[in-house]
PDB file of all heavy atoms in Angstrom:
ATOM      1  N   TYR A   1     -88.002-181.449 183.129  1.00  0.00           N
ATOM      2  CA  TYR A   1     -87.299-182.100 182.018  1.00  0.00           C
ATOM      3  C   TYR A   1     -86.508-183.315 182.484  1.00  0.00           C
ATOM      4  O   TYR A   1     -85.844-183.301 183.524  1.00  0.00           O
ATOM      5  CB  TYR A   1     -86.332-181.108 181.358  1.00  0.00           C
ATOM      6  CG  TYR A   1     -85.447-181.751 180.306  1.00  0.00           C
ATOM      7  CD1 TYR A   1     -85.955-182.066 179.049  1.00  0.00           C
ATOM      8  CD2 TYR A   1     -84.113-182.038 180.583  1.00  0.00           C
ATOM      9  CE1 TYR A   1     -85.160-182.653 178.083  1.00  0.00           C
ATOM     10  CE2 TYR A   1     -83.304-182.622 179.614  1.00  0.00           C
ATOM     11  CZ  TYR A   1     -83.834-182.935 178.374  1.00  0.00           C
ATOM     12  OH  TYR A   1     -83.037-183.516 177.425  1.00  0.00           O
ATOM     13  N   GLN A   2     -86.581-184.386 181.700  1.00  0.00           N
ATOM     14  CA  GLN A   2     -85.778-185.580 181.932  1.00  0.00           C
ATOM     15  C   GLN A   2     -85.154-185.998 180.609  1.00  0.00           C
ATOM     16  O   GLN A   2     -85.869-186.221 179.628  1.00  0.00           O
ATOM     17  CB  GLN A   2     -86.632-186.730 182.493  1.00  0.00           C
ATOM     18  CG  GLN A   2     -87.085-186.517 183.930  1.00  0.00           C
ATOM     19  CD  GLN A   2     -87.796-187.733 184.493  1.00  0.00           C
ATOM     20  OE1 GLN A   2     -88.287-188.580 183.763  1.00  0.00           O
ATOM     21  NE2 GLN A   2     -87.831-187.823 185.815  1.00  0.00           N
ATOM     22  N   GLU A   3     -83.852-186.098 180.597  1.00  0.00           N
ATOM     23  CA  GLU A   3     -83.158-186.455 179.364  1.00  0.00           C
ATOM     24  C   GLU A   3     -83.408-187.923 179.018  1.00  0.00           C
ATOM     25  O   GLU A   3     -83.307-188.802 179.870  1.00  0.00           O
ATOM     26  CB  GLU A   3     -81.653-186.207 179.516  1.00  0.00           C
ATOM     27  CG  GLU A   3     -80.881-186.340 178.223  1.00  0.00           C
ATOM     28  CD  GLU A   3     -79.451-185.837 178.364  1.00  0.00           C
ATOM     29  OE1 GLU A   3     -78.622-186.586 178.893  1.00  0.00           O
ATOM     30  OE2 GLU A   3     -79.182-184.692 177.961  1.00  0.00           O
ATOM     31  N   LYS A   4     -83.723-188.169 177.756  1.00  0.00           N
ATOM     32  CA  LYS A   4     -83.986-189.528 177.294  1.00  0.00           C
ATOM     33  C   LYS A   4     -82.676-190.255 177.014  1.00  0.00           C
ATOM     34  O   LYS A   4     -81.703-189.661 176.570  1.00  0.00           O
ATOM     35  CB  LYS A   4     -84.841-189.492 176.032  1.00  0.00           C
ATOM     36  CG  LYS A   4     -86.207-188.835 176.236  1.00  0.00           C
ATOM     37  CD  LYS A   4     -86.987-188.777 174.937  1.00  0.00           C
ATOM     38  CE  LYS A   4     -88.334-188.080 175.141  1.00  0.00           C
ATOM     39  NZ  LYS A   4     -89.100-187.984 173.869  1.00  0.00           N
ATOM     40  N   GLN A   5     -82.674-191.544 177.270  1.00  0.00           N
ATOM     41  CA  GLN A   5     -81.464-192.341 177.075  1.00  0.00           C
ATOM     42  C   GLN A   5     -81.074-192.434 175.607  1.00  0.00           C
ATOM     43  O   GLN A   5     -79.908-192.604 175.267  1.00  0.00           O
ATOM     44  CB  GLN A   5     -81.678-193.754 177.643  1.00  0.00           C
ATOM     45  CG  GLN A   5     -81.832-193.785 179.150  1.00  0.00           C
ATOM     46  CD  GLN A   5     -80.616-193.223 179.868  1.00  0.00           C
ATOM     47  OE1 GLN A   5     -79.479-193.523 179.530  1.00  0.00           O
ATOM     48  NE2 GLN A   5     -80.869-192.401 180.878  1.00  0.00           N
ATOM     49  N   ASN A   6     -82.069-192.345 174.706  1.00  0.00           N
ATOM     50  CA  ASN A   6     -81.775-192.452 173.281  1.00  0.00           C
ATOM     51  C   ASN A   6     -81.608-191.088 172.611  1.00  0.00           C
ATOM     52  O   ASN A   6     -81.758-190.953 171.395  1.00  0.00           O
ATOM     53  CB  ASN A   6     -82.878-193.234 172.566  1.00  0.00           C
ATOM     54  CG  ASN A   6     -84.253-192.560 172.700  1.00  0.00           C
ATOM     55  OD1 ASN A   6     -84.433-191.667 173.528  1.00  0.00           O
ATOM     56  ND2 ASN A   6     -85.214-193.003 171.909  1.00  0.00           N
ATOM     57  N   SER A   7     -81.315-190.057 173.407  1.00  0.00           N
ATOM     58  CA  SER A   7     -81.115-188.717 172.857  1.00  0.00           C
ATOM     59  C   SER A   7     -79.921-188.704 171.913  1.00  0.00           C
ATOM     60  O   SER A   7     -78.964-189.463 172.083  1.00  0.00           O
ATOM     61  CB  SER A   7     -80.877-187.708 173.993  1.00  0.00           C
ATOM     62  OG  SER A   7     -81.987-187.660 174.854  1.00  0.00           O
ATOM     63  N   HIS A   8     -79.986-187.825 170.909  1.00  0.00           N
ATOM     64  CA  HIS A   8     -78.886-187.706 169.955  1.00  0.00           C
ATOM     65  C   HIS A   8     -77.619-187.256 170.676  1.00  0.00           C
ATOM     66  O   HIS A   8     -77.649-186.355 171.510  1.00  0.00           O
ATOM     67  CB  HIS A   8     -79.231-186.698 168.856  1.00  0.00           C
ATOM     68  CG  HIS A   8     -80.340-187.148 167.959  1.00  0.00           C
ATOM     69  ND1 HIS A   8     -80.321-188.334 167.277  1.00  0.00           N
ATOM     70  CD2 HIS A   8     -81.515-186.555 167.633  1.00  0.00           C
ATOM     71  CE1 HIS A   8     -81.434-188.452 166.569  1.00  0.00           C
ATOM     72  NE2 HIS A   8     -82.178-187.388 166.781  1.00  0.00           N
ATOM     73  N   THR A   9     -76.505-187.877 170.328  1.00  0.00           N
ATOM     74  CA  THR A   9     -75.233-187.525 170.962  1.00  0.00           C
ATOM     75  C   THR A   9     -74.283-186.811 170.008  1.00  0.00           C
ATOM     76  O   THR A   9     -73.249-186.315 170.443  1.00  0.00           O
ATOM     77  CB  THR A   9     -74.543-188.789 171.507  1.00  0.00           C
ATOM     78  OG1 THR A   9     -74.337-189.716 170.427  1.00  0.00           O
ATOM     79  CG2 THR A   9     -75.389-189.460 172.574  1.00  0.00           C
ATOM     80  N   GLU A  10     -74.623-186.755 168.708  1.00  0.00           N
ATOM     81  CA  GLU A  10     -73.765-186.114 167.727  1.00  0.00           C
ATOM     82  C   GLU A  10     -74.539-185.029 166.980  1.00  0.00           C
ATOM     83  O   GLU A  10     -75.726-185.190 166.681  1.00  0.00           O
ATOM     84  CB  GLU A  10     -73.216-187.143 166.727  1.00  0.00           C
ATOM     85  CG  GLU A  10     -72.379-188.241 167.353  1.00  0.00           C
ATOM     86  CD  GLU A  10     -71.076-187.720 167.943  1.00  0.00           C
ATOM     87  OE1 GLU A  10     -70.610-186.664 167.479  1.00  0.00           O
ATOM     88  OE2 GLU A  10     -70.533-188.369 168.853  1.00  0.00           O
ATOM     89  N   ILE A  11     -73.859-183.949 166.663  1.00  0.00           N
ATOM     90  CA  ILE A  11     -74.495-182.865 165.919  1.00  0.00           C
ATOM     91  C   ILE A  11     -74.973-183.353 164.557  1.00  0.00           C
ATOM     92  O   ILE A  11     -76.035-182.959 164.069  1.00  0.00           O
ATOM     93  CB  ILE A  11     -73.526-181.676 165.765  1.00  0.00           C
ATOM     94  CG1 ILE A  11     -73.262-181.045 167.137  1.00  0.00           C
ATOM     95  CG2 ILE A  11     -74.083-180.637 164.796  1.00  0.00           C
ATOM     96  CD1 ILE A  11     -72.228-179.945 167.112  1.00  0.00           C
ATOM     97  N   SER A  12     -74.198-184.230 163.937  1.00  0.00           N
ATOM     98  CA  SER A  12     -74.560-184.756 162.617  1.00  0.00           C
ATOM     99  C   SER A  12     -75.836-185.586 162.663  1.00  0.00           C
ATOM    100  O   SER A  12     -76.447-185.853 161.621  1.00  0.00           O
ATOM    101  CB  SER A  12     -73.410-185.589 162.044  1.00  0.00           C
ATOM    102  OG  SER A  12     -73.063-186.639 162.928  1.00  0.00           O
ATOM    103  N   GLY A  13     -76.267-186.014 163.871  1.00  0.00           N
ATOM    104  CA  GLY A  13     -77.492-186.785 164.011  1.00  0.00           C
ATOM    105  C   GLY A  13     -78.747-185.931 164.072  1.00  0.00           C
ATOM    106  O   GLY A  13     -79.862-186.449 164.063  1.00  0.00           O
ATOM    107  N   ILE A  14     -78.577-184.607 164.125  1.00  0.00           N
ATOM    108  CA  ILE A  14     -79.718-183.688 164.132  1.00  0.00           C
ATOM    109  C   ILE A  14     -80.392-183.720 162.760  1.00  0.00           C
ATOM    110  O   ILE A  14     -79.722-183.610 161.733  1.00  0.00           O
ATOM    111  CB  ILE A  14     -79.264-182.253 164.474  1.00  0.00           C
ATOM    112  CG1 ILE A  14     -78.663-182.217 165.887  1.00  0.00           C
ATOM    113  CG2 ILE A  14     -80.425-181.275 164.369  1.00  0.00           C
ATOM    114  CD1 ILE A  14     -78.062-180.870 166.249  1.00  0.00           C
ATOM    115  N   SER A  15     -81.701-183.865 162.745  1.00  0.00           N
ATOM    116  CA  SER A  15     -82.418-183.908 161.472  1.00  0.00           C
ATOM    117  C   SER A  15     -82.595-182.497 160.901  1.00  0.00           C
ATOM    118  O   SER A  15     -82.432-181.494 161.616  1.00  0.00           O
ATOM    119  CB  SER A  15     -83.793-184.551 161.657  1.00  0.00           C
ATOM    120  OG  SER A  15     -84.636-183.707 162.425  1.00  0.00           O
ATOM    121  N   ILE A  16     -82.952-182.429 159.632  1.00  0.00           N
ATOM    122  CA  ILE A  16     -83.189-181.139 158.983  1.00  0.00           C
ATOM    123  C   ILE A  16     -84.351-180.414 159.661  1.00  0.00           C
ATOM    124  O   ILE A  16     -84.294-179.201 159.906  1.00  0.00           O
ATOM    125  CB  ILE A  16     -83.489-181.332 157.478  1.00  0.00           C
ATOM    126  CG1 ILE A  16     -82.225-181.837 156.765  1.00  0.00           C
ATOM    127  CG2 ILE A  16     -83.978-180.022 156.852  1.00  0.00           C
ATOM    128  CD1 ILE A  16     -82.437-182.151 155.302  1.00  0.00           C
ATOM    129  N   LYS A  17     -85.397-181.164 160.001  1.00  0.00           N
ATOM    130  CA  LYS A  17     -86.554-180.572 160.675  1.00  0.00           C
ATOM    131  C   LYS A  17     -86.159-179.999 162.028  1.00  0.00           C
ATOM    132  O   LYS A  17     -86.559-178.879 162.386  1.00  0.00           O
ATOM    133  CB  LYS A  17     -87.648-181.623 160.846  1.00  0.00           C
ATOM    134  CG  LYS A  17     -88.893-181.105 161.548  1.00  0.00           C
ATOM    135  CD  LYS A  17     -89.947-182.192 161.685  1.00  0.00           C
ATOM    136  CE  LYS A  17     -91.178-181.673 162.427  1.00  0.00           C
ATOM    137  NZ  LYS A  17     -92.212-182.738 162.573  1.00  0.00           N
ATOM    138  N   GLN A  18     -85.381-180.752 162.792  1.00  0.00           N
ATOM    139  CA  GLN A  18     -84.933-180.278 164.105  1.00  0.00           C
ATOM    140  C   GLN A  18     -84.074-179.022 163.963  1.00  0.00           C
ATOM    141  O   GLN A  18     -84.201-178.078 164.750  1.00  0.00           O
ATOM    142  CB  GLN A  18     -84.151-181.375 164.813  1.00  0.00           C
ATOM    143  CG  GLN A  18     -84.999-182.532 165.317  1.00  0.00           C
ATOM    144  CD  GLN A  18     -84.176-183.674 165.872  1.00  0.00           C
ATOM    145  OE1 GLN A  18     -83.074-183.949 165.388  1.00  0.00           O
ATOM    146  NE2 GLN A  18     -84.691-184.342 166.895  1.00  0.00           N
ATOM    147  N   ALA A  19     -83.188-179.012 162.969  1.00  0.00           N
ATOM    148  CA  ALA A  19     -82.320-177.852 162.746  1.00  0.00           C
ATOM    149  C   ALA A  19     -83.151-176.608 162.437  1.00  0.00           C
ATOM    150  O   ALA A  19     -82.865-175.514 162.943  1.00  0.00           O
ATOM    151  CB  ALA A  19     -81.354-178.142 161.601  1.00  0.00           C
ATOM    152  N   LEU A  20     -84.170-176.761 161.608  1.00  0.00           N
ATOM    153  CA  LEU A  20     -85.027-175.620 161.272  1.00  0.00           C
ATOM    154  C   LEU A  20     -85.797-175.113 162.488  1.00  0.00           C
ATOM    155  O   LEU A  20     -85.949-173.901 162.669  1.00  0.00           O
ATOM    156  CB  LEU A  20     -86.008-176.017 160.162  1.00  0.00           C
ATOM    157  CG  LEU A  20     -85.436-176.055 158.741  1.00  0.00           C
ATOM    158  CD1 LEU A  20     -86.457-176.643 157.781  1.00  0.00           C
ATOM    159  CD2 LEU A  20     -85.011-174.672 158.284  1.00  0.00           C
ATOM    160  N   ILE A  21     -86.279-176.033 163.316  1.00  0.00           N
ATOM    161  CA  ILE A  21     -87.017-175.627 164.517  1.00  0.00           C
ATOM    162  C   ILE A  21     -86.095-174.875 165.477  1.00  0.00           C
ATOM    163  O   ILE A  21     -86.466-173.833 166.044  1.00  0.00           O
ATOM    164  CB  ILE A  21     -87.630-176.856 165.218  1.00  0.00           C
ATOM    165  CG1 ILE A  21     -88.733-177.459 164.353  1.00  0.00           C
ATOM    166  CG2 ILE A  21     -88.188-176.468 166.594  1.00  0.00           C
ATOM    167  CD1 ILE A  21     -89.298-178.752 164.888  1.00  0.00           C
ATOM    168  N   ILE A  22     -84.883-175.382 165.667  1.00  0.00           N
ATOM    169  CA  ILE A  22     -83.911-174.707 166.537  1.00  0.00           C
ATOM    170  C   ILE A  22     -83.594-173.325 165.988  1.00  0.00           C
ATOM    171  O   ILE A  22     -83.516-172.342 166.734  1.00  0.00           O
ATOM    172  CB  ILE A  22     -82.625-175.547 166.664  1.00  0.00           C
ATOM    173  CG1 ILE A  22     -82.924-176.850 167.414  1.00  0.00           C
ATOM    174  CG2 ILE A  22     -81.535-174.755 167.390  1.00  0.00           C
ATOM    175  CD1 ILE A  22     -81.791-177.849 167.381  1.00  0.00           C
ATOM    176  N   GLY A  23     -83.422-173.236 164.668  1.00  0.00           N
ATOM    177  CA  GLY A  23     -83.144-171.943 164.043  1.00  0.00           C
ATOM    178  C   GLY A  23     -84.292-170.969 164.197  1.00  0.00           C
ATOM    179  O   GLY A  23     -84.084-169.776 164.425  1.00  0.00           O
ATOM    180  N   ALA A  24     -85.524-171.480 164.099  1.00  0.00           N
ATOM    181  CA  ALA A  24     -86.695-170.617 164.268  1.00  0.00           C
ATOM    182  C   ALA A  24     -86.775-170.092 165.694  1.00  0.00           C
ATOM    183  O   ALA A  24     -87.125-168.924 165.928  1.00  0.00           O
ATOM    184  CB  ALA A  24     -87.963-171.387 163.911  1.00  0.00           C
ATOM    185  N   CYS A  25     -86.438-170.943 166.665  1.00  0.00           N
ATOM    186  CA  CYS A  25     -86.450-170.508 168.064  1.00  0.00           C
ATOM    187  C   CYS A  25     -85.344-169.491 168.341  1.00  0.00           C
ATOM    188  O   CYS A  25     -85.511-168.588 169.176  1.00  0.00           O
ATOM    189  CB  CYS A  25     -86.285-171.718 168.988  1.00  0.00           C
ATOM    190  SG  CYS A  25     -87.728-172.816 169.016  1.00  0.00           S
ATOM    191  N   GLN A  26     -84.217-169.606 167.621  1.00  0.00           N
ATOM    192  CA  GLN A  26     -83.129-168.651 167.802  1.00  0.00           C
ATOM    193  C   GLN A  26     -83.569-167.233 167.473  1.00  0.00           C
ATOM    194  O   GLN A  26     -83.066-166.261 168.042  1.00  0.00           O
ATOM    195  CB  GLN A  26     -81.932-169.023 166.922  1.00  0.00           C
ATOM    196  CG  GLN A  26     -80.792-168.029 167.025  1.00  0.00           C
ATOM    197  CD  GLN A  26     -79.604-168.383 166.155  1.00  0.00           C
ATOM    198  OE1 GLN A  26     -78.520-168.617 166.651  1.00  0.00           O
ATOM    199  NE2 GLN A  26     -79.790-168.396 164.837  1.00  0.00           N
ATOM    200  N   VAL A  27     -84.518-167.105 166.562  1.00  0.00           N
ATOM    201  CA  VAL A  27     -85.008-165.780 166.150  1.00  0.00           C
ATOM    202  C   VAL A  27     -85.543-164.992 167.340  1.00  0.00           C
ATOM    203  O   VAL A  27     -85.488-163.758 167.361  1.00  0.00           O
ATOM    204  CB  VAL A  27     -86.090-165.930 165.059  1.00  0.00           C
ATOM    205  CG1 VAL A  27     -86.728-164.585 164.741  1.00  0.00           C
ATOM    206  CG2 VAL A  27     -85.485-166.535 163.800  1.00  0.00           C
ATOM    207  N   LEU A  28     -86.043-165.698 168.362  1.00  0.00           N
ATOM    208  CA  LEU A  28     -86.553-165.016 169.560  1.00  0.00           C
ATOM    209  C   LEU A  28     -85.479-164.168 170.223  1.00  0.00           C
ATOM    210  O   LEU A  28     -85.777-163.209 170.935  1.00  0.00           O
ATOM    211  CB  LEU A  28     -87.086-166.046 170.562  1.00  0.00           C
ATOM    212  CG  LEU A  28     -88.341-166.825 170.146  1.00  0.00           C
ATOM    213  CD1 LEU A  28     -88.625-167.928 171.160  1.00  0.00           C
ATOM    214  CD2 LEU A  28     -89.524-165.880 170.028  1.00  0.00           C
ATOM    215  N   ALA A  29     -84.200-164.538 169.986  1.00  0.00           N
ATOM    216  CA  ALA A  29     -83.098-163.818 170.613  1.00  0.00           C
ATOM    217  C   ALA A  29     -82.883-162.439 170.013  1.00  0.00           C
ATOM    218  O   ALA A  29     -82.059-161.665 170.521  1.00  0.00           O
ATOM    219  CB  ALA A  29     -81.805-164.634 170.504  1.00  0.00           C
ATOM    220  N   MET A  30     -83.617-162.096 168.957  1.00  0.00           N
ATOM    221  CA  MET A  30     -83.558-160.720 168.463  1.00  0.00           C
ATOM    222  C   MET A  30     -84.121-159.759 169.501  1.00  0.00           C
ATOM    223  O   MET A  30     -83.856-158.565 169.465  1.00  0.00           O
ATOM    224  CB  MET A  30     -84.321-160.585 167.136  1.00  0.00           C
ATOM    225  CG  MET A  30     -83.632-161.261 165.964  1.00  0.00           C
ATOM    226  SD  MET A  30     -84.307-160.770 164.356  1.00  0.00           S
ATOM    227  CE  MET A  30     -85.960-161.432 164.468  1.00  0.00           C
ATOM    228  N   ILE A  31     -84.901-160.303 170.428  1.00  0.00           N
ATOM    229  CA  ILE A  31     -85.383-159.504 171.565  1.00  0.00           C
ATOM    230  C   ILE A  31     -84.272-159.503 172.609  1.00  0.00           C
ATOM    231  O   ILE A  31     -83.972-160.551 173.185  1.00  0.00           O
ATOM    232  CB  ILE A  31     -86.663-160.110 172.170  1.00  0.00           C
ATOM    233  CG1 ILE A  31     -87.754-160.231 171.114  1.00  0.00           C
ATOM    234  CG2 ILE A  31     -87.133-159.269 173.349  1.00  0.00           C
ATOM    235  CD1 ILE A  31     -88.979-160.982 171.589  1.00  0.00           C
ATOM    236  N   PRO A  32     -83.619-158.376 172.860  1.00  0.00           N
ATOM    237  CA  PRO A  32     -82.512-158.361 173.819  1.00  0.00           C
ATOM    238  C   PRO A  32     -82.956-158.778 175.213  1.00  0.00           C
ATOM    239  O   PRO A  32     -83.982-158.332 175.712  1.00  0.00           O
ATOM    240  CB  PRO A  32     -82.040-156.892 173.797  1.00  0.00           C
ATOM    241  CG  PRO A  32     -83.204-156.127 173.271  1.00  0.00           C
ATOM    242  CD  PRO A  32     -83.895-157.046 172.318  1.00  0.00           C
ATOM    243  N   GLY A  33     -82.173-159.672 175.804  1.00  0.00           N
ATOM    244  CA  GLY A  33     -82.521-160.185 177.115  1.00  0.00           C
ATOM    245  C   GLY A  33     -83.013-161.618 177.059  1.00  0.00           C
ATOM    246  O   GLY A  33     -82.973-162.342 178.055  1.00  0.00           O
ATOM    247  N   VAL A  34     -83.472-162.058 175.875  1.00  0.00           N
ATOM    248  CA  VAL A  34     -83.967-163.426 175.732  1.00  0.00           C
ATOM    249  C   VAL A  34     -82.812-164.414 175.803  1.00  0.00           C
ATOM    250  O   VAL A  34     -82.879-165.429 176.497  1.00  0.00           O
ATOM    251  CB  VAL A  34     -84.739-163.602 174.409  1.00  0.00           C
ATOM    252  CG1 VAL A  34     -84.987-165.085 174.124  1.00  0.00           C
ATOM    253  CG2 VAL A  34     -86.060-162.847 174.468  1.00  0.00           C
ATOM    254  N   SER A  35     -81.739-164.165 175.075  1.00  0.00           N
ATOM    255  CA  SER A  35     -80.555-165.007 174.987  1.00  0.00           C
ATOM    256  C   SER A  35     -80.674-166.018 173.862  1.00  0.00           C
ATOM    257  O   SER A  35     -81.559-166.888 173.872  1.00  0.00           O
ATOM    258  CB  SER A  35     -80.251-165.747 176.291  1.00  0.00           C
ATOM    259  OG  SER A  35     -79.223-166.709 176.085  1.00  0.00           O
ATOM    260  N   ARG A  36     -79.775-165.891 172.905  1.00  0.00           N
ATOM    261  CA  ARG A  36     -79.706-166.827 171.785  1.00  0.00           C
ATOM    262  C   ARG A  36     -79.426-168.239 172.298  1.00  0.00           C
ATOM    263  O   ARG A  36     -80.016-169.218 171.839  1.00  0.00           O
ATOM    264  CB  ARG A  36     -78.615-166.371 170.810  1.00  0.00           C
ATOM    265  CG  ARG A  36     -78.580-167.109 169.478  1.00  0.00           C
ATOM    266  CD  ARG A  36     -77.291-166.823 168.745  1.00  0.00           C
ATOM    267  NE  ARG A  36     -76.149-167.228 169.582  1.00  0.00           N
ATOM    268  CZ  ARG A  36     -75.774-168.485 169.718  1.00  0.00           C
ATOM    269  NH1 ARG A  36     -76.415-169.441 169.105  1.00  0.00           N
ATOM    270  NH2 ARG A  36     -74.765-168.792 170.495  1.00  0.00           N
ATOM    271  N   SER A  37     -78.511-168.340 173.260  1.00  0.00           N
ATOM    272  CA  SER A  37     -78.179-169.647 173.828  1.00  0.00           C
ATOM    273  C   SER A  37     -79.386-170.278 174.509  1.00  0.00           C
ATOM    274  O   SER A  37     -79.655-171.473 174.354  1.00  0.00           O
ATOM    275  CB  SER A  37     -77.036-169.512 174.836  1.00  0.00           C
ATOM    276  OG  SER A  37     -75.846-169.098 174.209  1.00  0.00           O
ATOM    277  N   LEU A  38     -80.117-169.481 175.283  1.00  0.00           N
ATOM    278  CA  LEU A  38     -81.298-169.994 175.979  1.00  0.00           C
ATOM    279  C   LEU A  38     -82.314-170.531 174.989  1.00  0.00           C
ATOM    280  O   LEU A  38     -82.836-171.647 175.155  1.00  0.00           O
ATOM    281  CB  LEU A  38     -81.928-168.892 176.827  1.00  0.00           C
ATOM    282  CG  LEU A  38     -83.263-169.230 177.507  1.00  0.00           C
ATOM    283  CD1 LEU A  38     -83.055-170.322 178.547  1.00  0.00           C
ATOM    284  CD2 LEU A  38     -83.884-167.999 178.142  1.00  0.00           C
ATOM    285  N   ALA A  39     -82.612-169.754 173.955  1.00  0.00           N
ATOM    286  CA  ALA A  39     -83.632-170.147 172.984  1.00  0.00           C
ATOM    287  C   ALA A  39     -83.250-171.431 172.255  1.00  0.00           C
ATOM    288  O   ALA A  39     -84.070-172.343 172.092  1.00  0.00           O
ATOM    289  CB  ALA A  39     -83.855-169.016 171.980  1.00  0.00           C
ATOM    290  N   THR A  40     -82.002-171.532 171.813  1.00  0.00           N
ATOM    291  CA  THR A  40     -81.576-172.710 171.050  1.00  0.00           C
ATOM    292  C   THR A  40     -81.419-173.940 171.946  1.00  0.00           C
ATOM    293  O   THR A  40     -81.763-175.049 171.547  1.00  0.00           O
ATOM    294  CB  THR A  40     -80.251-172.432 170.315  1.00  0.00           C
ATOM    295  OG1 THR A  40     -79.268-171.953 171.253  1.00  0.00           O
ATOM    296  CG2 THR A  40     -80.439-171.389 169.234  1.00  0.00           C
ATOM    297  N   ILE A  41     -80.913-173.744 173.156  1.00  0.00           N
ATOM    298  CA  ILE A  41     -80.720-174.875 174.069  1.00  0.00           C
ATOM    299  C   ILE A  41     -82.058-175.482 174.486  1.00  0.00           C
ATOM    300  O   ILE A  41     -82.238-176.705 174.457  1.00  0.00           O
ATOM    301  CB  ILE A  41     -79.913-174.443 175.308  1.00  0.00           C
ATOM    302  CG1 ILE A  41     -78.444-174.203 174.918  1.00  0.00           C
ATOM    303  CG2 ILE A  41     -80.000-175.497 176.407  1.00  0.00           C
ATOM    304  CD1 ILE A  41     -77.603-173.594 176.015  1.00  0.00           C
ATOM    305  N   LEU A  42     -83.017-174.655 174.881  1.00  0.00           N
ATOM    306  CA  LEU A  42     -84.322-175.185 175.278  1.00  0.00           C
ATOM    307  C   LEU A  42     -85.011-175.861 174.097  1.00  0.00           C
ATOM    308  O   LEU A  42     -85.680-176.894 174.260  1.00  0.00           O
ATOM    309  CB  LEU A  42     -85.207-174.069 175.833  1.00  0.00           C
ATOM    310  CG  LEU A  42     -84.805-173.493 177.191  1.00  0.00           C
ATOM    311  CD1 LEU A  42     -85.867-172.530 177.705  1.00  0.00           C
ATOM    312  CD2 LEU A  42     -84.568-174.597 178.211  1.00  0.00           C
TER     313      LEU A  42
END
């Protein structure tokens, strides 16, 4: 992974599509051991 220089710096800059994708990935954390933080951060 390499962080892009034009990456979003504010939470308010997250798009609706991005928010839904992050939320969908969070669902993986229902499996104990996965980590809600890990799923959403990645």
Side-chain angles (χ1 to χ4, degrees):
Y1 173 76
Q2 289 186 340
E3 189 169 80
K4 299 178 182 179
Q5 293 300 316
N6 60 346
S7 299
H8 293 305
T9 58
E10 300 293 335
I11 293 175
S12 57
I14 298 174
S15 69
I16 292 176
K17 180 180 178 180
Q18 288 173 326
L20 282 172
I21 292 174
I22 293 170
C25 290
Q26 178 180 242
V27 173
L28 293 172
M30 289 194 295
I31 303 173
V34 168
S35 171
R36 190 194 58 78
S37 295
L38 174 66
T40 53
I41 288 172
L42 290 188

